[in-house]
Amino acid sequence: DPYKAALYKVLGRGNVSKKAAAEVVQTTEDYLWSSLAVVRDAEQIAAATGHPRNTLESLQALMLKYGPGHFDPNGNNPLLYFRVLLLCGLFENAVDFLLQNDRFQIEAVHIAIALAFYGLLNIPSAETMPSSFGSYLVAADNSGGRAMLDFSRMVIHYARALPDTATDDAVNYLLLLTLSTQGTCDAGQHSLCQQAIERILYERSDYARYLGDIQSDGTRKRGMLERFLPLLGISSNEQFAQTIIRRLADRSRDEGRLADTVLLYNLAERYNTVLNVLGKQLGELLYTHGGSNSNADNIGDAYGLDDVEGVARAVLEHYKQREHIARVLDDRAVTTCNTLLTIVDFLNCHRRGAYEEALEMIERTQLLPLGGDVSLASQHAERVRSLDDSITRNFSLILLAAMDTLSRLYAGLRESPFMDAVKQANLQTLRRKARSLMVFAGMIQFRMPSDTYAKLNRMDVFMN
């Protein structure tokens, strides 16, 4: 009686060695049920009989040995072998098998997420993450022979494949990277989650929605990510600002994304860093393009300074109007930015031929000894040492433009048809200013290109 034999086999937990007849076990589900029903704990069997048999591990090994071809030889029902693996507790193999079928990759990802939520997946830690980029299924020497599923890499690949219009979905998927660590402290997995989110936000430059924004009245609007700080392994808004936001700001700064840099450092409340970045950017652009020839009246129009200049002026005005920001600003950073902006104004006036206005602008900076007193040149030269590098590296440009301004004012005044005491006094004043500049330039030659002093000397000779 095949049915009685099958019943004995189940009740006897495999003591009957005869396999169940085909009329009893007609389907894959029947076979799995009869096989799982006789599974015993390996340690209990080993203690009782001296050797394990009918264990879950032996059944799993048998199913893997059979492979999908045994259960679905024609490939018409790939889900059947997936069910076999799933029912045998081979969750990692089941997900990996489904991922290999293009029709079921989306389902595979979501099944893996559900299994991870319930703690049923064997997932490698961030420190032991395999370097291979082939299959998501990896072996682990320290997991008792059980395979592991590279859950993190799978989710990251899936999230990054989503279109730019689905950034919300991508971020939400990436937040699932720490599912398997809830209730534990896996700093590596939290760090991996943070890095994946930072990368996708940086590539799509959509910071305000996810990290927050500064409103026109100065208040801060919370970003979407701040609702999920525990999933990121972050315990406070301050830590959020000093990790994710600061790292994105640093990367934007290093790669020259000015608008993003200003926004992100503001969100991180690093206001002095904003000013330092703006100062460095203004100085760099002046040094690179300020002395170049161009038909444009405005160096910003010619070389892209307008964006930096406009941002710098807006930021300084914004900070000035908000007392809680103004009182924490570094005076040196504020002074440097204001001085550089005045230098930009001076160069613009010089380019468009407004020499009297240009002279007024450069005198306002107090960088050069333009009071006509040669004895003050040494004091100005000493002061150069305390100036920010973004200013000192442009001294050649500033000196040449200032001397050219004096030279053109001198030429225009000398060609005037009127010769009176006032004209002579003004010519003398311009000569004294030029002489002071020459003395000053001689004291700081080591900070300028070698030909700068020769150019200055030619203009000085013309005036004297």
Side-chain angles (χ1 to χ4, degrees):
D1 186 341
Y3 293 97
K4 183 183 291 185
L7 183 61
Y8 285 159
K9 184 176 178 68
V10 171
L11 293 176
R13 295 283 182 175
N15 289 333
V16 178
S17 59
K18 183 179 179 181
K19 295 183 179 180
E23 58 264 40
V24 177
V25 180
Q26 298 181 1
T27 65
T28 301
E29 286 80 0
D30 291 339
Y31 173 75
L32 283 176
W33 183 88
S34 63
S35 299
L36 288 168
V38 299
V39 163
R40 297 288 292 272
D41 182 79
E43 292 184 2
Q44 292 179 357
I45 295 176
T49 65
H51 58 88
R53 56 188 184 139
N54 292 335
T55 62
L56 181 60
E57 289 75 14
S58 63
L59 178 61
Q60 291 173 338
L62 184 62
M63 296 302 103
L64 291 174
K65 181 180 178 181
Y66 282 157
H70 178 82
F71 297 93
D72 183 31
N74 298 321
N76 298 325
N77 186 13
L79 291 179
L80 179 59
Y81 187 57
F82 165 75
R83 290 170 62 191
V84 169
L85 296 174
L86 201 64
L87 290 171
C88 289
L90 293 166
F91 305 122
E92 299 79 16
N93 302 77
V95 172
D96 182 67
F97 172 72
L98 214 54
L99 283 168
Q100 297 174 34
N101 191 310
D102 293 341
R103 291 165 52 196
F104 300 108
Q105 287 183 347
I106 294 177
E107 288 80 359
V109 170
H110 290 82
I111 289 171
I113 291 170
L115 291 169
F117 177 77
Y118 288 106
L120 297 175
L121 280 183
N122 191 21
I123 299 174
S125 65
E127 291 75 13
T128 60
M129 196 75 67
S131 58
S132 171
F133 292 98
S135 171
Y136 294 105
L137 195 67
V138 293
D141 296 335
N142 60 350
S143 64
R146 181 181 170 189
M148 296 189 296
L149 183 74
D150 195 347
F151 178 77
S152 300
R153 185 161 61 93
M154 179 196 70
V155 171
I156 290 173
H157 286 179
Y158 183 78
R160 290 182 57 77
L162 295 173
D164 290 352
T165 54
T167 304
D168 274 12
D169 294 333
V171 170
N172 277 306
Y173 277 108
L174 293 175
L175 286 168
L176 300 174
L177 290 174
T178 59
L179 272 180
S180 60
T181 66
Q182 297 311 300
T184 64
C185 183
D186 190 336
Q189 203 71 15
H190 286 141
S191 177
L192 180 67
C193 179
Q194 293 174 19
Q195 292 171 16
I197 290 178
E198 288 168 20
R199 181 178 178 184
I200 205 163
L201 291 183
Y202 185 82
E203 291 173 351
R204 304 185 183 186
S205 294
D206 194 357
Y207 298 122
R209 174 170 176 76
Y210 301 98
L211 304 179
D213 199 2
I214 305 296
Q215 306 286 54
S216 57
D217 60 357
T219 59
R220 187 178 184 280
K221 180 182 177 183
R222 287 166 57 87
M224 176 186 127
L225 277 180
E226 291 179 79
R227 294 157 44 199
F228 304 104
L229 295 185
L231 285 174
L232 293 166
I234 295 175
S235 58
S236 66
N237 290 330
E238 290 73 20
Q239 186 184 358
F240 179 61
Q242 296 306 316
T243 51
I244 292 180
I245 297 179
R246 182 183 58 77
R247 286 197 295 262
L248 283 169
D250 290 346
R251 184 176 178 185
S252 298
R253 176 202 60 199
D254 295 342
E255 299 192 12
R257 293 166 59 162
L258 182 64
D260 289 344
T261 302
V262 172
L263 168 65
L264 291 166
Y265 277 131
N266 268 310
L267 288 175
E269 298 182 354
R270 299 183 65 174
Y271 308 116
N272 287 312
T273 305
V274 172
L275 296 181
N276 290 333
V277 168
L278 290 172
K280 183 178 179 181
Q281 191 80 4
L282 282 168
E284 182 68 30
L285 287 173
L286 283 173
Y287 182 76
T288 306
H289 302 300
S292 304
N293 294 322
S294 171
N295 295 325
D297 291 337
N298 188 304
I299 59 174
D301 293 338
Y303 301 109
L305 257 174
D306 272 350
D307 287 344
V308 185
E309 178 191 350
V311 171
R313 294 187 193 279
V315 166
L316 285 169
E317 184 63 26
H318 175 81
Y319 288 174
K320 181 180 177 181
Q321 293 175 358
R322 285 155 182 82
E323 184 180 352
H324 71 285
I325 297 179
R327 64 170 172 260
V328 300
L329 294 180
D330 178 44
D331 291 339
R332 177 182 168 88
V334 175
T335 301
T336 298
C337 272
N338 281 321
T339 301
L340 286 165
L341 290 173
T342 306
I343 292 171
V344 171
D345 292 338
F346 157 66
L347 293 173
N348 288 336
C349 290
H350 174 263
R351 280 181 176 246
R352 65 173 182 264
Y355 299 116
E356 291 185 1
E357 188 178 353
L359 183 59
E360 179 184 345
M361 289 288 180
I362 195 59
E363 286 179 340
R364 187 185 303 170
T365 65
Q366 299 183 350
L367 292 174
L368 307 176
L370 293 171
D373 188 350
V374 176
S375 64
L376 296 177
S378 60
Q379 296 180 20
H380 281 79
E382 186 65 28
R383 196 182 303 164
V384 169
R385 301 178 184 276
S386 63
L387 295 174
D388 190 83
D389 180 65
S390 59
I391 298 175
T392 57
R393 70 186 309 196
N394 287 294
F395 252 95
S396 174
L397 168 67
I398 297 167
L399 277 170
L400 289 171
M403 184 63 91
D404 187 64
T405 297
L406 294 173
S407 176
R408 291 178 183 274
L409 286 172
Y410 183 87
L413 189 58
R414 190 177 65 173
E415 293 170 3
S416 172
F418 304 101
M419 183 62 69
D420 53 23
V422 174
K423 175 180 176 179
Q424 289 298 325
N426 288 337
L427 288 172
Q428 183 63 24
T429 298
L430 291 172
R431 282 195 294 268
R432 283 200 306 269
K433 290 179 184 292
R435 176 48 46 189
S436 294
L437 275 187
M438 289 303 299
V439 174
F440 173 75
M443 294 178 176
I444 63 167
Q445 280 190 67
F446 65 94
R447 295 180 178 271
M448 300 186 296
S450 57
D451 63 337
T452 301
Y453 196 79
K455 294 177 182 177
L456 291 171
N457 194 50
R458 284 196 295 270
M459 287 185 277
D460 181 54
V461 169
F462 165 74
M463 296 175 65
N464 290 280

